[in-house]
Amino acid sequence: MSQAQYQVRGPVAVITLDNPPLNGLGHALRSGIVAAIDRAAADEAVQAVVLTGSERAFSAGADVREFGTSKAGMEPSLPNVIRIVESSAKPVIAAISGACLGGGLELTLGCHFRIARADASLGLPEVKLGLIPGAGGTQRLPRLVGLEPALNLMVSGNPVPARAFAGTLIDEIVEGDLLEAALAFAQKVLDEQRPIRRLSELKVKEPDGEAWLQFARNNIAALSKNFPAPLKCVDAVASTLTRSFDEGMRVEREIFYGLMNTPESRALRHVFAAERAAGKIPDVPEGTPTRTVKQVGVIGAGTMGGGIAMNFVNAGIPVVLLETRQEALDRGLATIRRNYENTVKKGKLKPGEMEARLARITPTLDYAALADADLIVEAVFEEIGVKEQVFRTLDEVAKPGAILASNTSTLDLNRIASFTKRPQDVIGLHFFSPANVMKLLEVVRGEKTSPDVLATAMQLAKKIRKVAVVSGVCDGFIGNRMIARYGKAADDLLMMGALPQQVDRALEKFGMAMGPFRMGDLAGLDIGWAIRKRRAAEHPGEDVSAVADHLCEAGRFGQKTGAGWYRYEAGKRDPIPDPLVQQLIEQAREAAGVKPRRISDEEIVERCIYALVNEGARILEEGIALRASDIDVVYLNGYGFPLHRGGPMQYADQVGLPNVVRSLRRIAAEPGANVAFWTPAPLLARLAEEGRGFNH
Ligand code: NAD
């Protein structure tokens, strides 16, 4: 059956796009539209055409299911479909409700008139995939609404309600039944014999257009540093001033295909697909039953517990917050209140809503208050003894079927589960600090975690607006296990001859939100110190970080103590390089008998990022991560990895795995190198040899 339904209502042919859920403009729908337009042209009873979609979407643009397949470019291509619609001798009216995005909006620009519901969502989101509109949008839209509104829509990529375009892009805003309104509008066009308006035939009338575009270029260049597409929107739009429509279409095509092949667009398209893939768990299919979570318990009202509680109450789920001592409880609640007050001050939350959210938190010192909780998240001290005590108690007080979650960063979740008689109900929910802000949630699947518990956690993550990634059990899970390698590579660079500020600068230039030493100072160096001490006790000789240990021994824990890898002036967060740190580093080099050498920024990036990639490959091979793209999602959402590079594994693919392997082998062969650390992971070496990538 055709995906474009054809129906005649009086003198009007109604073509209804019918490719649920969002009328993606795949090949079948494109062909269907052309066939229906031809049919209307040939039908003598038809004098006008209405093109419409569903309540939910006129069309949300290209069909994502077709991305990257041969069908995507198959004729009739979208630009040609739009040209055919536009050249119809009978007036074509687009009747729009719901999402009208990308190619969907471009299709309406091929129509001669547009009517829409006030809240229909109009947008050109192509820049979010590193592209520009590629079906005439850059040429037709400025001709209709002018340069500035057109560019705003393209460069922001954000949708705008149709009411904002009443009288310009949209000829009429519809209140009641959309189809009836469209039929009435068509009748009016016929009665008034309104001339057909083909946007490709219009001229942009802006005498100062060139000057304005130059101004726009300067602004956009400053805002879109790492992404070429926004500036390319200006180039494409500029041709509407100086060139014919057909020439402009050629310019648009050239730019579009040029961008398709940029690493930035590849990265953005990869991330788009990766975030969707992360929700899929092969042995927990969609439709796996989930448990109802109406009330949550949080244990520990410290740094993490408070933020975790906020996530749930923000989503309307009441929380019982448990502590051991009243002071700790009061402190935790005061912090939560302060956080909300700051949001209110910024105008992002109404005072009444703040109170409503706070009222959803029930503080307690008594485990009996957790009896009704459907999910209990533990965020107490990172000590196995404390976790044991908490989970043994939970096993006694939690109702049957309650999900028992731990926010542990490094401890063995299977061991934690074994403290209960219901290991199938135990799962890791690893939030990132600050837990009310950071998007990432590592969902840690224990050996015995049951599928419905996992499915519930993934569903709940969406509800509290987190990006969830499943991780198996290992020390540090996906993110922290990798970051330890990255940190080690950064520490080694200090011993070799670099200074913290140089390492940070090089990695920030690469695009990391924050270099490793600044990040350490922010997070607190005592955390890593405690972990190193524990690991040193478990595996003597491993994981030494001489300089970091000296800093901690001197009480320099980072920002919170006013000094760490840098020093900080009271009340300020700007890191100031500290000669004392340089001295410590020089002493450590001397003690180790190392002669410092000059280190280039490229070498810094290579070592730190490839250390991440190499550990990522091990994590993938061990099955800790389900797919390489999950690792990318973790790094983009939890560790400030630059979006335009698509995550560490995608970056490695872009560099080419054989090149990554060659570099790692070269480093491993350097005198004094930690060979086990730098030897390429077997999976990485194998993929490189087979000419494959992690993600492809
Ligand atoms: P924190 O020291 O700030 O808070 C821990 C809280 O737990 C304290 O308020 C303490 O009074 C309370 N507590 C201790 N024992 C308790 C018990 N038996 N019953 C009830 N409450 C108890 O620590 P945090 O930074 O919030 O870390 C908590 C957990 O989250 C740890 O497992 C940690 O590894 C993990 N984590 C921390 C971070 C981070 O960046 N801080 C990030 C992710 C995960």
Side-chain angles (χ1 to χ4, degrees):
M1 211 171 67
S2 172
Q3 291 185 355
Q5 310 282 347
Y6 184 90
Q7 182 198 6
V8 178
R9 295 276 300 266
V12 182
V14 178
I15 302 174
T16 308
L17 311 187
D18 184 18
N19 180 24
L22 294 172
N23 285 327
L25 288 157
H27 180 252
L29 180 53
R30 299 197 301 269
S31 311
I33 296 170
V34 172
I37 288 281
D38 287 347
R39 190 164 159 192
D43 191 337
E44 281 176 11
V46 168
Q47 296 172 44
V49 179
V50 165
L51 192 59
T52 193
S54 66
E55 195 65 33
R56 194 168 158 204
F58 176 84
S59 163
D63 195 335
V64 281
R65 290 166 295 196
E66 224 174 55
F67 267 18
T69 70
S70 58
K71 278 194 168 170
M74 222 152 106
E75 287 297 338
S77 68
L78 189 57
N80 282 340
V81 173
I82 295 171
R83 201 183 279 268
I84 289 165
V85 171
E86 189 178 52
S87 48
S88 159
K90 299 176 182 176
V92 183
I93 299 123
I96 307 164
S97 72
C100 182
L101 305 173
L105 183 61
E106 291 177 291
L107 175 58
T108 71
L109 296 172
C111 300
H112 309 126
F113 303 95
R114 283 151 295 277
I115 66 169
R117 275 196 203 295
D119 62 351
S121 180
L122 312 182
L124 292 169
E126 287 81 354
V127 281
K128 299 204 169 174
L129 298 180
L131 301 170
I132 64 168
T138 68
Q139 301 304 301
R140 288 192 180 89
L141 189 60
R143 284 178 159 84
L144 177 60
V145 301
L147 297 176
E148 189 172 350
L151 256 185
N152 280 345
L153 207 61
M154 284 175 217
V155 169
S156 77
N158 295 328
V160 170
R163 72 174 77 84
F165 282 112
T168 57
L169 175 54
I170 301 300
D171 297 291
E172 193 177 287
I173 295 288
V174 176
E175 297 291 340
D177 186 278
L178 183 65
L179 183 57
E180 291 308 321
L183 293 172
F185 189 91
Q187 194 58 55
K188 200 158 58 180
V189 167
L190 294 173
D191 292 346
E192 294 172 6
Q193 298 187 332
R194 285 202 201 175
I196 283 179
R197 187 161 69 148
R198 298 191 175 90
L199 301 186
S200 63
E201 292 168 0
L202 302 183
K203 288 251 166 317
V204 176
K205 288 188 224 72
E206 299 206 25
D208 296 329
E210 295 282 4
W212 186 83
L213 283 177
Q214 193 46 46
F215 165 77
R217 264 198 189 95
N218 295 342
N219 282 333
I220 293 169
L223 289 174
S224 58
K225 280 202 299 291
N226 294 319
F227 296 95
L231 266 184
K232 292 288 183 190
C233 290
V234 187
D235 292 348
V237 166
S239 64
T240 60
L241 289 176
T242 52
R243 300 182 189 224
S244 71
F245 178 80
D246 286 341
E247 282 170 355
M249 285 298 283
R250 269 198 294 281
V251 170
E252 182 188 271
R253 278 276 94 177
E254 258 167 44
I255 295 176
F256 183 86
Y257 281 113
L259 286 170
M260 265 289 195
N261 290 318
T262 56
E264 293 82 2
S265 175
R266 283 179 202 275
L268 289 169
R269 284 179 282 140
H270 164 68
V271 175
F272 180 83
E275 294 199 345
R276 272 158 190 73
K280 302 200 167 73
I281 311 166
D283 61 334
V284 184
E286 255 171 71
T288 300
T290 53
R291 301 187 188 179
T292 310
V293 177
K294 289 215 176 110
Q295 199 196 97
V296 171
V298 174
I299 308 202
T303 312
M304 295 306 289
I308 293 170
M310 287 172 76
N311 280 308
F312 290 106
V313 296
N314 291 349
I317 304 172
V319 169
V320 176
L321 183 59
L322 182 138
E323 261 290 348
T324 41
R325 289 168 302 118
Q326 189 62 44
E327 307 91 82
L329 199 50
D330 292 343
R331 204 174 336 114
L333 285 169
T335 307
I336 294 175
R337 177 173 280 276
R338 208 169 42 246
N339 277 335
Y340 279 130
E341 280 169 353
N342 285 336
T343 318
V344 170
K345 262 189 224 142
K346 286 186 204 144
K348 289 187 186 157
L349 186 71
K350 296 212 170 77
E353 179 57 21
M354 167 176 103
E355 293 303 334
R357 291 185 190 187
L358 285 168
R360 281 183 209 129
I361 303 179
T362 310
T364 187
L365 298 174
D366 182 3
Y367 269 91
L370 296 175
D372 290 332
D374 303 297
L375 161 73
I376 302 173
V377 188
E378 163 279 309
V380 303
F381 300 138
E382 186 75 340
E383 286 167 31
I384 195 75
V386 187
K387 306 278 187 201
E388 172 165 7
Q389 183 209 336
V390 169
F391 274 81
R392 288 204 189 281
T393 315
L394 286 183
D395 200 17
E396 276 159 31
V397 300
K399 68 180 183 188
I403 298 174
L404 309 181
S406 173
N407 183 46
T408 181
S409 308
T410 54
L411 299 174
D412 179 352
L413 185 84
N414 293 327
R415 208 164 148 213
I416 293 177
S418 76
F419 299 141
T420 73
K421 289 187 278 308
R422 36 174 132 174
Q424 74 283 0
D425 294 341
V426 177
I427 193 165
L429 291 181
H430 185 217
F431 289 84
F432 288 72
S433 180
N436 53 315
V437 177
M438 296 294 287
K439 294 233 72 78
L440 180 63
L441 179 67
E442 278 181 330
V443 174
V444 184
R445 178 179 196 171
E447 243 165 45
K448 298 196 175 145
T449 307
S450 82
D452 66 328
V453 167
L454 195 56
T456 308
M458 298 304 280
Q459 193 183 51
L460 199 60
K462 266 196 207 139
K463 199 155 175 194
I464 60 171
R465 303 166 86 170
K466 299 285 174 195
V467 179
V469 174
V470 177
S471 170
V473 177
C474 67
D475 192 346
F477 311 122
I478 297 173
N480 284 344
R481 176 168 155 187
M482 284 169 68
I483 208 75
R485 295 291 178 137
Y486 170 84
K488 180 77 174 74
D491 287 353
D492 286 355
L493 283 161
L494 301 185
M495 293 301 279
M496 290 163 59
L499 288 174
Q501 51 271 30
Q502 189 202 350
V503 175
D504 282 350
R505 206 179 340 106
L507 285 160
E508 284 163 20
K509 217 166 69 196
F510 171 79
M512 297 301 290
M514 216 184 261
F517 297 107
R518 275 179 65 201
M519 174 128 111
D521 274 1
L522 179 69
L525 302 180
D526 47 329
I527 298 178
W529 193 32
I531 295 174
R532 279 197 302 281
K533 281 194 278 195
R534 174 171 67 75
R535 286 192 182 138
E538 287 168 8
H539 315 279
E542 223 182 73
D543 220 13
V544 274
S545 187
V547 184
D549 288 353
H550 292 321
L551 286 178
C552 290
E553 283 154 17
R556 299 176 65 120
F557 292 164
Q559 282 190 22
K560 59 183 166 188
T561 58
W565 289 107
Y566 298 90
R567 63 184 184 81
Y568 299 85
E569 279 172 9
K572 295 215 176 125
R573 288 167 171 268
D574 314 298
I576 305 166
D578 191 340
L580 218 86
V581 174
Q582 184 166 347
Q583 235 175 41
L584 275 179
I585 295 170
E586 283 164 2
Q587 282 165 5
R589 286 179 196 148
E590 255 182 61
V594 184
K595 228 175 122 238
R597 63 172 173 87
R598 208 191 78 81
I599 314 266
S600 72
D601 286 2
E602 292 72 35
E603 194 172 359
I604 291 171
V605 170
E606 187 183 65
R607 284 180 167 256
C608 292
I609 303 297
Y610 290 178
L612 270 184
V613 170
N614 206 23
E615 193 64 10
R618 291 195 190 95
I619 281 175
L620 195 58
E621 187 152 37
E622 289 170 27
I624 297 294
L626 286 169
R627 44 183 94 76
S629 65
D630 281 7
I631 297 175
D632 289 333
V633 173
V634 166
Y635 264 76
L636 292 164
N637 290 289
Y639 294 85
F641 201 92
L643 178 62
H644 69 282
R645 303 205 188 265
M649 310 313 266
Q650 171 72 11
Y651 174 69
D653 281 356
Q654 286 289 319
V655 172
L657 297 192
N659 297 319
V660 176
V661 166
R662 205 174 313 123
S663 295
L664 285 170
R665 288 195 174 130
R666 195 197 63 234
I667 300 172
E670 283 173 9
N674 180 340
V675 179
F677 186 101
W678 291 109
T679 298
L683 173 70
L684 170 55
R686 196 170 69 237
L687 289 174
E689 208 156 287
E690 291 168 1
R692 292 169 51 200
F694 287 118
N695 284 313
H696 309 284

